[in-house]
Amino acid sequence: MENHNANDLIKSLQRIYYFNKITFWLNGELITAEIPPAQTTLEFLHNNQHLYGTKCSCNEGDCGACTVVIAQVKEGNIVYEAINSCLYTAAKLHGKHLITIEGLGTLEQLHPIQQVMLENHSLQCGYCSPGFVMSLFALLANISHPDEEEILSALEGNLCRCSSYQSILRAAKELSENFTFNDIVPAWCRDIEKQLFSFKDASKLIEKSGNLFYPCTHYFIPQKLSELTDILANTPESVFIAGGTDLMVRMNVQKEEMPVLIDLSELQELKQITYTSRGIVIGAVVTYSDILHSGIIKTDLLSLYELVEKIASKQIRNFATLAGNIANASPIGDTLPLLSVLDASLTLFSSTGIRELPLRDFFLDYRKTRLNYQELIKEIVIPLPTQDAFIRTYKATKRKAVDISAVVSAVKIETESGKIKEAKLAFGGVATIPKLSHKFSELLIGKPSEEINPIEIAEIVSAEFNPISDVRGSKEYRQILIRNQVLNYLQEYVQGDTNE
Amino acid sequence: MNKSYPHINGKLHLTGSSRFIADEIPLPEMLYTKFLFSPVAHANIMELDTSESITIPGVEKVVTASDIPGINQIGLVIQDEPLFPEKEIMYMGQPLAMVLATSEKIAEAAVKLIHLKYEELPPIFEIDEADEKGEWYIPEKKIECGDVQKALSEADFTLQGITETPTQEHFYLETQRCRAIPGEDRQIILYTATQSTMEVQEVVSRLLNLPANRIIVEVPRLGGAFGGKERGATIWAAMAALGCFLTHKPVQVLLEREEDMRSTGKRHPFQGRWKVGFDAKGKIEALDIELLSNGGAYADLSIAILERAMFHADNAYFIPNVRIRGRACRTNLPPNTAFRGFGAPQAIFILESILDEIAKKLELDPIKLRQINAYRSGDITPYEQKVIECNLPDILERLAFNSNYDQLKEEIEKYNDEHRNSKQGLSIIPVKFGISFTTTHLNQASALLWIYIDGTASLTTSAVEMGQEVSTKCATVVSKVLGIPLENIRVESSNSQRVGNASPTAASTGTDLNGNASRNAAEKIRVRLLPLAQSMLKNQGIDGNMEKICFKDGTVFSSDSPETKIEFKDLIRQAYLSRIPLGANGYYSTPGISFDWNIGRGSPFQYFVFGAALAQVQIDLLTGEHQVLKVFIVHETGISLNEAIDLGQIEGAFIQCYGWCTCEDLPRDTTGHYLAINPSTYKIPTIRDLPSKIQIEMIPSGSKYASIFGSKAIGEPPFIYGLTVWFAIQNAIHSVKPDAILKFPATRESILLALN
């Protein structure tokens, strides 16, 4: 509730809150904590535990200073994942192992990561250092001898304004060369791994009131869809949260209130990636990292794999979801053009049942979708493209990594007996919703590749859109991007074709 | 010489146990603050009604200008800046009122209940408009030598133009903050994230009408500053101090990232209006340049920044006839402030743009043009400081050698011929960076050194530690003089009670000034210890000359018989028993510098740092993407106190400038609102932005004028090297479109717009 006068504000101080009573491991110790609704892990560390080694610099998941590592069971394995604690709600920690900088190494006995960084002079002011240590810990705990690309991917979400990157990279390479995950993961972490498998306790809601002031009153974490249905029946005003990498920014920075949040990330039914007759089905709480770890995606949807690698940072990919990117309905949602050209559809769930909707019909207007009241995305269905389909995506950003696009696009061209059978091109960042180019399909379908004039088509497609100017780019720039992206795709397509 | 002794606080930082202000347990009864920030850039306040906000439970007080007990003035060089404006709002994001409450959330909610009525006034945001209206903090400044008009009229060629540089956000990872705690006898203890303890003390003392000895300023360290906390921290320290004074409770000011980016000043945008005359070989005969800066709403450090820009308008080149005129303009933006380089990068960018124009006009090789014009020892700068120990010609030659310049150029030409949608370019930039505060009196520092009974040492200096590792370097100096192992030396927080009247830690002078002050303190103790050491050695049968006594590795011995040692800690215990003072105050002021602005003449710098860089880039003509392929840097460090630190400074400065040149775009709307006020929209470099290859050669100079133990300042000079990337991108663009105009920064957007 927005408090525009003193009386409203005083009243809201008497609201009733439901805290999440959760059990989890913090740096090797099992603890039980009562978490105020929607409190972030970072706030919990600072306010409840008085652990200040984890730093807050932006509070919106863009700097990595607050990086911590979570160990949990996924698909029958223990994974160590770096996350931005400023966006990760503490209630999600239930049954997991939270590892912070305080857990790794002491002044007397540095952890190998700390020792090698010290020797390489990989720090200046030190404010970002704990975050870098934790990102490296997650990287090296999962894989031994990561290559340079894997190192950059693990560290691109950590900003260092002193710009010690060169010496950090030197340290990372040395660590990669000389240590395996057995040197990196301490014994006390290994001890808890077994307990993570057998953990069964349920979390509880605890009522609190009296001069408390939080932007949220309830934070539900249903485990099953049936449980969710019950919650929905009793809570008329609620907002769904999956990873929360967008929603928590709105709470942290824009100071939005979300009185009732329903966290979907524990819904067992929505955690899978599976093959079906309709194509590949991705559950709504599958994270970007889950997608990258999925053999199915890497084998059969390489275009999605390659795009997801370029989305946000490792810390964000570890809990942000594909369904969240769709439901969020940002005009520059990175995955939306690709999903559009792949003819993806959505399965929507509500208490009254499920329905199917093609993704391209899902968006109505700026951040408006066809989701009904209390309806959510259950899964994303992506038909398998033909083996030799030409599929590409491109993100135009200000910075190489961890940046939102000015224009993002995707193309799919399917060829049959020398002629283009299907051609789809979609853009984000050129209108209030992701858009397909009609001209592109019109001009290409039925044509053999030698009749394609990339420059001409690029100009026509560019004229089809009327983008706006904003902080990420001017209208003029976007217009050029549209043209050049089409040109790039078609030149590559034509060349690839003639090479065969 | 502990060449690469690790970061003295490295273990603390890497284990997350180093102390940063406000990243610590709340104090009992501590109040949190939130501000009402101005929603407009220029306006008269008609009404500021706080009555509703103070009725909220948990709100302790809502503070406005009328609560200030002393003078509502936080300006220092020019006293033009109120803590809270009483009538005229001068910039978007200016704090107008402060809520003190028991929690941040309550304070936040209460701010929304402050009612502001205002009458908008026409704002000024651009240099041109401010200059036209005569909105300068002080009248024009001038440096002149030779006869510019005559030389221009006689030159074979002349060119003229206008060159602009944009702003840059500091983006220190640790936002602005201060904790104020009430003490006895009206004392206020300020834990402030500032580069300048003295300034905070002086300003707060005046604001609260308290003697300076009641204001204690303590700085454990800073999580990055880059100039943004030299003056930028003062206003927030003053806020906390005022809140503490009024409530007698601890008060914490802690800006969120967006608050910080919206309300604090940034790098000064500059405009250079220039006319240059040169001969057919490219030798520059005359330069007439006006440097105008966008200073924002209040003077802040704008005058000193303008001065440094003027002193670097010649960069590394000898020009016989020069006129440099400078005007700092007042606009309705947050007061722009110090940022690594302090005006010099802006001026150097402008001059290097001029050189590029000359090279284009005469179709000259860029390195040749720079070699022709580079300073040589004995040349005189436009402000009549003699350039000595100048090794620029050698440095440029070395750079050409390291980069295999001629071959590289050929390779690039070949690449460009063979590729339609991808082009390469290169650029070379030398630097001559003047070291010393140009405000002469600031060139002084003190150090307080204690040797304790167990032989360990505690050192406090005027310097503030912010990642530049002035601590490691000062400890190295003490270690060298007294032979105390570095692990037995603690460099303490900066504190106005232990070291008073401290100049800001800035202008790359931290180690020069404070290293020398530390040396002075250590030498005082050494001198006092010598007679005792001599007699203790004598007891062991060594009858040594005092001059031969060495302090090394925690021991003391005579160089004649190094095997017979006494332990340093035994010497100290004995010294204490012998009533020899084991604490010393060191002091240093830079000799031989002065400047007279009335005539625009003098020697403002103790010495210059020389160096040069070359960058090779590749751009994609369809996407506007670029990749920095190779960077070569040759940099003169003097005798480095710690090569790992200096290397880190060069690498870091390069990347920070690279960010300014390429991705750190900070657009502003027509109402004066910065549009990129968070890291999701303001993009500083990440680890992915490193050049594919970077080779840095640090060369010792053997300079007689270098500072502590022959070392030279390192913080700012290498920042200039990052400019090579911008010019290399421009060079690549010019290979396909010779007249293309590339905007700064060279974002993908700028590159594509330049090409289309």
Side-chain angles (χ1 to χ4, degrees):
Chain A
M1 141 183 35
E2 275 290 317
N3 301 290
H4 290 300
N5 65 60
N7 288 339
D8 284 353
L9 180 54
I10 291 166
K11 237 187 270 168
S12 68
L13 288 171
Q14 303 312 317
R15 282 196 293 192
I16 294 171
Y17 295 91
Y18 291 86
F19 283 34
N20 298 82
K21 189 174 181 185
I22 62 166
T23 303
F24 67 103
W25 286 266
L26 172 60
N27 293 325
E29 271 182 53
L30 187 67
I31 65 168
T32 298
E34 292 174 2
I35 308 289
Q39 186 179 54
T40 66
T41 299
L42 181 61
E43 286 170 331
F44 170 78
L45 288 171
H46 285 186
N47 301 345
N48 183 300
Q49 295 291 307
H50 292 159
L51 293 175
Y52 292 96
T54 306
K55 295 291 184 278
C56 179
S57 181
C58 76
N59 215 19
E60 58 172 18
D62 262 301
C63 76
C66 69
T67 303
V68 296
V69 170
I70 287 171
Q72 61 178 313
V73 181
K74 271 196 171 175
E75 309 255 316
N77 293 309
I78 296 287
V79 291
Y80 288 84
E81 291 183 324
I83 53 119
N84 294 113
S85 62
C86 70
L87 299 182
Y88 194 86
T89 51
K92 286 177 186 283
L93 294 169
H94 183 67
K96 297 173 185 163
H97 185 189
L98 171 64
I99 303 156
T100 72
I101 191 70
E102 286 83 0
L104 286 191
T106 61
L107 293 179
E108 295 72 32
Q109 183 69 54
L110 293 178
H111 184 276
I113 293 171
Q114 294 159 333
Q115 183 62 37
V116 172
M117 286 183 77
L118 182 73
E119 286 162 9
N120 278 277
H121 229 106
S122 306
L123 69 158
Q124 292 183 29
C125 82
Y127 208 75
C128 69
S129 305
F132 273 97
V133 171
M134 297 316 292
S135 283
L136 280 169
F137 175 69
L139 170 71
L140 298 162
N142 289 319
I143 47 172
S144 292
H145 313 305
D147 62 20
E148 180 160 336
E149 174 52 36
E150 286 166 320
I151 291 170
L152 295 177
S153 170
L155 298 180
E156 67 192 7
N158 291 79
L159 296 179
C160 169
R161 187 49 152 170
C162 304
S163 312
S164 299
Y165 297 125
Q166 207 87 47
S167 54
I168 292 168
L169 187 59
R170 283 193 284 269
K173 286 178 175 171
E174 190 180 321
L175 283 160
S176 167
E177 199 163 311
N178 300 336
F179 296 87
T180 67
F181 51 71
N182 287 323
D183 311 313
I184 295 299
V185 181
W188 53 267
C189 284
R190 292 288 184 223
D191 289 346
I192 288 159
E193 290 181 0
K194 294 159 214 143
Q195 302 174 58
L196 289 170
F197 281 109
S198 55
F199 185 84
K200 285 211 172 55
D201 296 0
S203 67
K204 290 194 192 90
L205 288 176
I206 310 269
E207 193 179 310
K208 302 256 178 181
S209 64
N211 267 339
L212 295 172
F213 194 52
Y214 298 104
C216 177
T217 61
H218 294 64
Y219 191 92
F220 292 105
I221 315 178
Q223 310 286 310
K224 290 189 188 130
L225 283 172
S226 56
E227 203 182 317
L228 171 69
T229 311
D230 294 345
I231 294 169
L232 290 175
N234 297 313
T235 47
E237 298 287 331
S238 59
V239 175
F240 296 122
I241 173 171
T245 54
D246 189 76
L247 193 133
M248 292 310 292
V249 177
R250 285 158 59 193
M251 292 190 76
N252 286 357
V253 179
Q254 274 90 284
K255 313 289 179 190
E256 284 185 40
E257 294 222 338
M258 303 278 168
V260 179
L261 284 173
I262 304 177
D263 187 325
L264 308 176
S265 58
E266 289 302 319
L267 288 170
Q268 294 308 318
E269 297 95 325
L270 310 189
K271 284 188 172 183
Q272 271 82 42
I273 300 177
T274 47
Y275 280 115
T276 71
S277 56
R278 298 175 301 159
I280 293 170
V281 176
I282 300 175
V285 300
V286 168
T287 66
Y288 285 131
S289 289
D290 296 338
I291 289 176
L292 293 176
H293 292 140
S294 155
I296 295 178
I297 303 290
K298 196 166 184 182
T299 315
D300 289 328
L301 265 181
L302 189 61
S303 56
L304 181 65
Y305 177 89
E306 286 173 346
L307 174 66
V308 168
E309 275 189 313
K310 296 193 184 80
I311 294 174
S313 61
K314 178 84 111 198
Q315 292 96 314
I316 294 290
R317 290 194 295 270
N318 281 339
F319 64 115
T321 63
L322 180 59
N325 196 235
I326 298 167
N328 190 27
S330 159
I332 40 173
D334 277 326
T335 63
L336 309 181
L338 178 63
L339 293 175
S340 297
V341 302
L342 290 174
D343 302 309
S345 62
L346 304 173
T347 308
L348 307 181
F349 171 92
S350 70
S351 310
T352 54
I354 58 170
R355 61 178 179 131
E356 298 284 328
L357 196 65
L359 177 96
R360 12 178 203 279
D361 298 338
F362 181 69
F363 306 102
L364 289 171
D365 201 347
Y366 182 75
R367 290 191 181 256
K368 283 210 178 101
T369 70
R370 284 193 199 276
L371 276 176
N372 290 328
Y373 172 67
Q374 292 198 336
E375 192 176 37
L376 60 96
I377 298 172
K378 180 169 177 282
E379 55 207 19
I380 303 128
V381 185
I382 308 173
L384 280 179
T386 56
Q387 276 287 315
D388 53 358
F390 176 86
I391 303 170
R392 297 289 184 276
T393 58
Y394 184 75
K395 274 184 76 165
T397 50
K398 265 185 199 164
R399 186 173 67 189
K400 286 201 186 88
V402 198
D403 197 0
I404 296 167
S405 316
V407 170
V408 54
S409 64
V411 67
K412 185 180 77 174
I413 303 175
E414 287 179 343
T415 317
E416 204 177 75
S417 14
K419 284 187 181 164
I420 292 173
K421 185 179 154 224
E422 199 196 316
K424 286 205 173 85
L425 171 72
F427 286 102
V430 303
T432 54
I433 58 170
K435 282 266 189 190
L436 274 171
S437 162
H438 298 294
K439 295 277 182 203
F440 186 79
S441 312
E442 256 173 49
L443 292 166
L444 286 179
I445 291 173
K447 284 222 175 109
S449 72
E450 55 273 18
E451 278 177 34
I452 294 170
N453 180 341
I455 295 174
E456 191 190 345
I457 295 173
E459 293 290 351
I460 294 171
V461 171
S462 177
E464 196 181 343
F465 297 96
N466 189 20
I468 57 159
S469 294
D470 67 16
V471 66
R472 304 194 199 280
S474 65
K475 173 186 164 65
E476 206 187 348
Y477 169 54
R478 287 192 156 103
Q479 212 88 56
I480 297 170
L481 285 174
I482 296 169
R483 187 195 64 196
N484 287 5
Q485 288 180 16
V486 176
L487 193 57
N488 235 345
Y489 290 142
L490 288 180
Q491 281 179 350
E492 194 195 332
Y493 171 74
V494 171
Q495 273 160 20
D497 220 39
T498 48
N499 285 346
E500 276 170 15
Chain B
M1 174 57 78
N2 299 298
K3 280 285 181 206
S4 51
Y5 188 83
H7 195 306
I8 200 164
N9 294 142
K11 287 185 183 181
L12 292 174
H13 286 321
L14 289 162
T15 53
S17 48
S18 51
R19 179 166 171 224
F20 289 96
I21 294 162
D23 287 320
E24 48 199 342
I25 297 174
L27 297 163
E29 304 220 8
M30 188 169 80
L31 298 171
Y32 296 84
T33 53
K34 283 286 163 185
F35 298 89
L36 173 68
F37 293 106
S38 171
V40 283
H42 196 198
N44 277 326
I45 298 172
M46 307 306 285
E47 192 187 326
L48 187 62
D49 179 4
T50 60
S51 57
E52 194 179 1
S53 59
I54 51 176
T55 63
I56 305 304
V59 173
E60 179 95 2
K61 192 162 178 62
V62 181
V63 182
T64 61
S66 61
D67 295 301
I68 297 168
I71 303 161
N72 182 12
Q73 180 54 249
I74 60 166
L76 199 67
V77 183
I78 294 175
Q79 301 201 356
D80 65 346
E81 182 171 2
L83 182 67
F84 293 115
E86 281 158 51
K87 181 153 187 281
E88 190 180 358
I89 293 170
M90 285 295 286
Y91 62 94
M92 177 92 66
Q94 183 169 21
L96 306 176
M98 169 173 67
V99 174
L100 300 169
T102 50
S103 88
E104 274 181 35
K105 289 268 175 241
I106 295 280
E108 213 167 74
V111 165
K112 290 184 190 151
L113 304 176
I114 302 173
H115 303 291
L116 168 73
K117 286 190 188 139
Y118 56 84
E119 172 189 70
E120 281 200 65
L121 297 168
I124 298 176
F125 301 122
E126 305 299 338
I127 288 173
D128 282 331
E129 187 183 355
D131 190 54
E132 208 167 283
K133 293 189 169 151
E135 285 286 345
W136 312 304
Y137 311 106
I138 58 162
E140 177 177 280
K141 294 209 155 199
K142 190 163 79 175
I143 292 170
E144 194 166 11
C145 72
D147 188 337
V148 174
Q149 293 312 325
K150 186 162 170 280
L152 279 174
S153 65
E154 290 172 359
D156 297 347
F157 300 92
T158 57
L159 285 169
Q160 59 182 357
I162 294 175
T163 306
E164 293 186 320
T165 63
T167 192
Q168 183 181 23
E169 159 64 31
H170 299 85
F171 209 92
Y172 26 68
L173 266 272
E174 174 208 52
T175 54
Q176 300 279 355
R177 56 194 58 197
C178 177
R179 261 189 191 181
I181 302 169
E184 66 166 28
D185 194 18
R186 295 184 298 155
Q187 279 186 333
I188 291 181
I189 304 144
L190 296 171
Y191 291 87
T192 314
T194 180
Q195 292 171 250
S196 184
T197 56
M198 181 187 182
E199 168 172 328
V200 168
Q201 184 186 54
E202 196 179 346
V203 166
V204 169
S205 148
R206 193 171 57 204
L207 188 83
L208 301 184
N209 197 21
L210 286 174
N213 64 7
R214 301 302 198 282
I215 310 299
I216 297 143
V217 184
E218 158 92 17
V219 190
R221 62 173 56 77
L222 307 181
F226 317 109
K229 295 169 184 171
E230 184 175 350
R231 238 201 85 73
T234 304
I235 184 169
W236 312 111
M239 293 288 182
L242 176 62
C244 176
F245 178 90
L246 294 171
T247 61
H248 307 288
K249 288 183 179 175
V251 168
Q252 174 170 300
V253 170
L254 172 58
L255 294 197
E256 294 181 38
R257 177 58 59 187
E258 286 206 357
E259 295 170 336
D260 191 306
M261 289 183 75
R262 188 194 316 132
S263 296
T264 64
K266 316 191 185 303
R267 183 183 293 282
H268 285 66
F270 265 74
Q271 187 188 91
R273 302 172 183 172
W274 51 268
K275 193 167 184 190
V276 67
F278 49 98
D279 68 16
K281 286 180 187 151
K283 179 83 193 79
I284 303 170
E285 298 296 340
L287 174 68
D288 190 10
I289 187 164
E290 287 174 274
L291 290 172
L292 285 77
S293 71
N294 187 336
Y298 301 110
D300 195 273
L301 293 165
S302 292
I303 304 306
I305 289 162
L306 179 70
E307 289 171 4
R308 182 165 284 273
M310 293 172 72
F311 287 130
H312 288 79
D314 57 344
N315 189 18
Y317 311 110
F318 173 67
I319 308 171
N321 302 284
V322 178
R323 180 170 65 170
I324 305 159
R325 287 173 291 173
R327 300 189 290 279
C329 302
R330 190 191 299 278
T331 59
N332 295 103
L333 292 173
N336 284 325
T337 194
F339 197 149
R340 203 173 196 168
F342 208 74
Q346 294 95 316
I348 292 172
F349 176 82
I350 292 165
L351 188 69
E352 291 296 334
S353 298
I354 297 172
L355 263 88
D356 260 27
E357 296 274 323
I358 296 172
K360 208 166 91 183
K361 173 93 185 166
L362 299 177
E363 292 179 358
L364 277 178
D365 177 85
I367 202 166
K368 299 259 158 54
L369 176 66
R370 281 160 178 88
Q371 276 166 334
I372 289 168
N373 288 291
Y375 273 111
R376 275 141 181 91
S377 283
D379 286 342
I380 307 287
T381 66
Y383 44 92
E384 270 189 5
Q385 174 157 4
K386 196 170 172 187
V387 179
I388 45 172
E389 301 181 332
C390 175
N391 48 9
L392 272 171
D394 298 343
I395 286 173
L396 284 167
E397 207 167 293
R398 188 82 196 149
L399 187 69
F401 175 79
N402 288 355
S403 61
N404 206 349
Y405 179 74
D406 292 330
Q407 196 189 323
L408 189 63
K409 248 181 83 172
E410 274 174 34
E411 281 168 17
I412 290 172
E413 271 169 31
K414 186 157 175 273
Y415 181 91
N416 288 350
D417 285 343
E418 289 170 358
H419 292 80
R420 190 169 47 142
N421 287 335
S422 169
K423 299 288 170 189
Q424 295 186 355
L426 71 73
S427 136
I428 291 150
I429 293 180
V431 64
K432 164 186 126 286
F433 204 96
I435 300 300
S436 290
F437 284 101
T438 59
T439 305
T440 304
H441 71 260
L442 294 176
N443 294 289
Q444 55 175 323
S446 300
L448 176 66
L449 177 64
W450 276 103
I451 312 296
Y452 297 116
I453 196 71
D454 63 352
T456 63
S458 162
L459 175 70
T460 306
T461 71
S462 306
V464 170
E465 175 58 49
M466 47 194 161
Q468 85 281 45
E469 291 197 59
V470 64
S471 308
T472 312
K473 287 184 168 179
C474 287
T476 303
V477 168
V478 169
S479 169
K480 193 172 154 62
V481 175
L482 287 170
I484 309 173
L486 265 150
E487 50 275 19
N488 286 349
I489 301 170
R490 238 198 85 79
V491 181
E492 311 292 353
S493 61
S494 312
N495 178 294
S496 59
Q497 285 176 315
R498 276 176 269 127
V499 172
N501 305 339
S503 293
T505 307
S508 307
T509 61
T511 299
D512 287 7
L513 296 174
N514 293 283
N516 272 302
S518 302
R519 170 158 116 164
N520 181 241
E523 281 174 348
K524 280 182 182 173
I525 292 177
R526 192 174 186 277
V527 166
R528 291 179 207 150
L529 290 172
L530 277 173
L532 178 65
Q534 189 183 34
S535 82
M536 284 173 78
L537 284 167
K538 201 173 176 182
N539 288 344
Q540 298 202 23
I542 310 291
D543 208 355
N545 185 330
M546 231 190 267
E547 271 146 35
K548 290 190 173 166
I549 294 179
C550 303
F551 289 69
K552 209 177 171 212
D553 299 332
T555 63
V556 181
F557 54 89
S558 167
S559 57
D560 286 342
S561 16
E563 333 60 64
T564 313
K565 294 172 179 171
I566 48 175
E567 292 289 315
F568 181 74
K569 64 174 194 285
D570 296 338
L571 173 67
I572 291 301
R573 179 163 294 277
Q574 198 52 48
Y576 171 74
L577 295 174
S578 312
R579 294 188 287 174
I580 292 169
L582 292 171
N585 191 38
Y587 179 80
Y588 176 78
S589 67
T590 311
I593 47 173
S594 67
F595 197 80
D596 183 353
W597 272 108
N598 293 316
I599 51 169
R601 294 276 180 280
S603 291
F605 302 117
Q606 188 192 5
Y607 60 86
F608 296 102
V609 171
F610 300 101
L614 179 150
Q616 179 196 6
V617 305
Q618 183 169 310
I619 61 169
D620 182 312
L621 303 186
L622 286 183
T623 63
E625 285 175 44
H626 75 267
Q627 174 63 35
V628 182
L629 301 176
K630 287 180 191 161
V631 174
F632 296 91
I633 292 171
V634 179
H635 183 85
E636 183 213 10
T637 50
I639 301 162
S640 175
L641 281 173
N642 185 313
E643 284 178 356
I645 295 175
D646 289 354
L647 183 65
Q649 287 294 310
I650 296 170
E651 290 168 344
F654 177 87
I655 292 292
Q656 206 172 54
C657 180
Y658 164 81
W660 182 44
C661 292
T662 59
C663 51
E664 294 184 34
D665 187 23
L666 183 40
R668 179 163 33 77
D669 71 11
T670 53
T671 67
H673 189 84
Y674 283 119
L675 296 175
I677 52 167
N678 48 48
S680 76
T681 46
Y682 186 75
K683 309 311 281 188
I684 68 168
T686 74
I687 196 162
R688 285 230 188 243
D689 294 293
L690 288 174
S692 308
K693 182 191 163 184
I694 181 163
Q695 188 217 73
I696 296 168
E697 186 180 13
M698 292 191 273
I699 54 169
S701 54
S703 164
K704 287 196 208 77
Y705 292 85
S707 192
I708 179 76
F709 295 141
S711 66
K712 281 196 165 187
I714 191 75
E716 290 164 294
F719 187 87
I720 304 305
Y721 302 142
L723 295 174
T724 51
V725 174
W726 190 93
F727 285 100
I729 292 173
Q730 191 190 50
N731 181 242
I733 291 172
H734 283 174
S735 73
V736 271
K737 199 177 169 196
D739 294 321
I741 294 166
L742 176 63
K743 269 178 65 175
F744 190 133
T747 55
R748 294 180 192 188
E749 173 164 6
S750 304
I751 292 170
L752 287 182
L753 291 178
L755 286 165
N756 285 276

